[in-house]
Amino acid sequence: MSNATTARFSRRGILAAGGALGLGALVTACGSEDSTDGGSDSKASAKSGPWSFKDDRGKNVQLDKVPANIVAFTGVAAALYDYGVSVKGVFGPTRTQDGKPDVQAGDMDISKVTILGNTWDQFNVEKYAALAPDVLISTMFDSVGTLWYVPEASKDKITKLAPSVGISVYDRQLTAPLQRMWELAESLGGDMKAAKVTDAKKRFEEASERLRKAAKAHPDIKVLAGSASQELFYVSGTNLSVDLEYFKALGVNFVEPPEKAKAEGGWYESLSWENVDKYAADIIMMDDRSSAIQPANITEATWKKLPAVKAGQVISRSAEPILSYDKCVPLVENLAKAIETAKKVS
């Protein structure tokens, strides 16, 4: 198996950790064919002249003008929205089974974008072509530049219709992709001097310092990053994940599954529910994606007996953070608060 395939399917396994591979019942949701401005006040139209952006694959995408018809992975579109840049179409988790915006859609009005695919391996190429896309933007979870949620079977057709831009969220700290998304939004005409934008960046820096101090003051508090599916419980190591690598750099004491215990690719260890107590932890961070079973819906008796669960020390974790400072502030603040107030139960 090639490194690219290994990395892709290992990361896909993280989706499996939340049951994404069992989401076949979730039909592909199609948004309004009226793919207008996506609900934000885009400044891109105010810019003119040629446009270029060097992505994290080292590819320099060049166009005669700033892209107007942008199609993006849902989480990327949500980040751009926060910077005043709108998209025409999205792909990836956008709408839940009950019709509400997925957590990865952020503040976007999903009724104003065309949804090309809502689940893994779903991407309507015909609708994509009809949007006359100028550029496709996604994140990348491997070292070889595989565009997240662009299906392997149709990627050649998709990439022929418009150039693509990839932002890496693989094996680096959160601040790196945050900065890259900032640069991308700025190039697309985002108002990076808007008070909301600059305030969010300042709040992120303040939250990070708060987390650093909390971790230093409570070095004995152990944090476990988990995700739940019907059959298995998954424990993530800090290596490779942008949020966990950043939190660890700030001093957070994480439970680290040994490398030999991790699934192929090194993202996580799979545990049966009978062995969910393998690692002692004071705080458990649980995957908040719609593909994962949420803590309130876990019925396993072994889960309910965990000391951190009994102590009410379970918080959410965005395993795929929306890469805007505004959306990352609460991720840092929530962990800082949890560490500041946690009781030692492990």
Side-chain angles (χ1 to χ4, degrees):
M1 183 179 290
S2 70
N3 290 336
T5 303
T6 299
R8 182 174 70 255
F9 280 95
S10 297
R11 184 61 188 176
R12 182 173 179 173
I14 291 182
L15 284 175
L21 300 186
L23 285 176
L26 180 58
V27 297
T28 304
C30 296
S32 168
E33 293 298 325
D34 176 18
S35 54
T36 53
D37 65 5
S40 65
D41 296 321
S42 176
K43 304 295 182 181
S45 60
K47 297 186 69 175
S48 61
W51 176 84
S52 67
F53 186 82
K54 188 174 184 179
D55 77 357
D56 290 340
R57 298 169 297 183
K59 292 187 177 182
N60 191 30
V61 180
Q62 296 180 310
L63 297 173
D64 293 337
K65 60 181 180 179
V66 176
N69 295 342
I70 302 171
V71 173
F73 172 69
T74 301
V76 170
L80 293 176
Y81 179 95
D82 286 348
Y83 293 133
V85 177
S86 46
V87 305
K88 296 290 185 180
V90 297
F91 55 95
T94 307
R95 178 181 288 146
T96 60
Q97 289 181 331
D98 59 4
K100 296 180 180 179
D102 188 273
V103 64
Q104 294 193 63
D107 293 332
M108 283 193 302
D109 183 346
I110 63 173
S111 70
K112 293 186 177 180
V113 293
T114 298
I115 302 174
L116 303 172
N118 201 66
T119 62
W120 186 263
D121 264 349
Q122 293 181 337
F123 191 113
N124 192 312
V125 181
E126 290 72 23
K127 281 190 175 183
Y128 178 57
L131 292 176
D134 293 321
V135 67
L136 179 145
I137 309 171
S138 190
T139 47
M140 302 181 299
F141 282 94
D142 60 28
S143 60
V144 296
T146 304
L147 296 173
W148 192 228
Y149 266 82
V150 173
E152 183 72 19
S154 55
K155 69 175 184 179
D156 291 341
K157 293 180 181 179
I158 293 168
T159 55
K160 286 179 181 178
L161 292 170
S164 61
V165 167
I167 299 296
S168 179
V169 285
Y170 176 75
D171 197 16
R172 60 197 60 198
Q173 294 181 27
L174 179 60
T175 44
L178 272 174
Q179 179 60 31
R180 292 295 283 145
M181 191 63 70
W182 175 287
E183 294 166 359
L184 176 60
E186 185 173 37
S187 77
L188 293 169
D191 185 358
M192 315 313 285
K193 295 182 180 180
K196 178 183 177 181
V197 172
T198 57
D199 176 65
K201 189 172 184 179
K202 180 180 179 182
R203 287 188 294 113
F204 177 82
E205 293 167 351
E206 292 172 346
S208 297
E209 183 57 28
R210 177 184 175 184
L211 179 56
R212 187 193 304 276
K213 290 179 178 178
K216 184 176 182 179
H218 305 278
D220 59 330
I221 295 298
K222 298 175 70 174
V223 180
L224 181 149
S227 185
S229 71
Q230 284 294 135
E231 296 79 18
L232 297 169
F233 183 79
Y234 299 80
V235 179
S236 294
T238 57
N239 189 32
L240 306 180
S241 297
V242 292
D243 61 327
L244 302 184
E245 285 202 10
Y246 183 56
F247 299 154
K248 183 179 181 180
L250 292 175
V252 176
N253 180 11
F254 278 100
V255 169
E256 295 281 5
E259 289 301 318
K260 64 180 180 180
K262 291 180 182 177
E264 186 179 37
W267 289 92
Y268 58 87
E269 178 181 359
S270 307
L271 298 176
S272 66
W273 283 104
E274 289 76 13
N275 295 315
V276 73
D277 60 352
K278 179 177 180 179
Y279 299 107
D282 303 295
I283 296 170
I284 301 176
M285 302 174 67
M286 289 296 288
D287 188 346
D288 71 354
R289 291 173 296 179
S290 56
S291 55
I293 298 177
Q294 297 307 300
N297 298 320
I298 298 176
T299 59
E300 300 290 341
T302 49
W303 162 262
K304 295 180 179 180
K305 291 179 181 178
L306 293 178
V309 175
K310 292 171 69 174
Q313 295 176 175
V314 178
I315 64 173
S316 65
R317 173 202 171 204
S318 293
E320 292 183 52
I322 294 174
L323 297 172
S324 73
Y325 287 102
D326 181 69
K327 294 300 179 291
C328 288
V329 168
L331 310 184
V332 184
E333 287 182 337
N334 290 345
L335 181 54
K337 181 180 178 181
I339 292 174
E340 290 166 350
T341 59
K343 295 179 181 178
K344 182 67 180 174
V345 295
S346 65

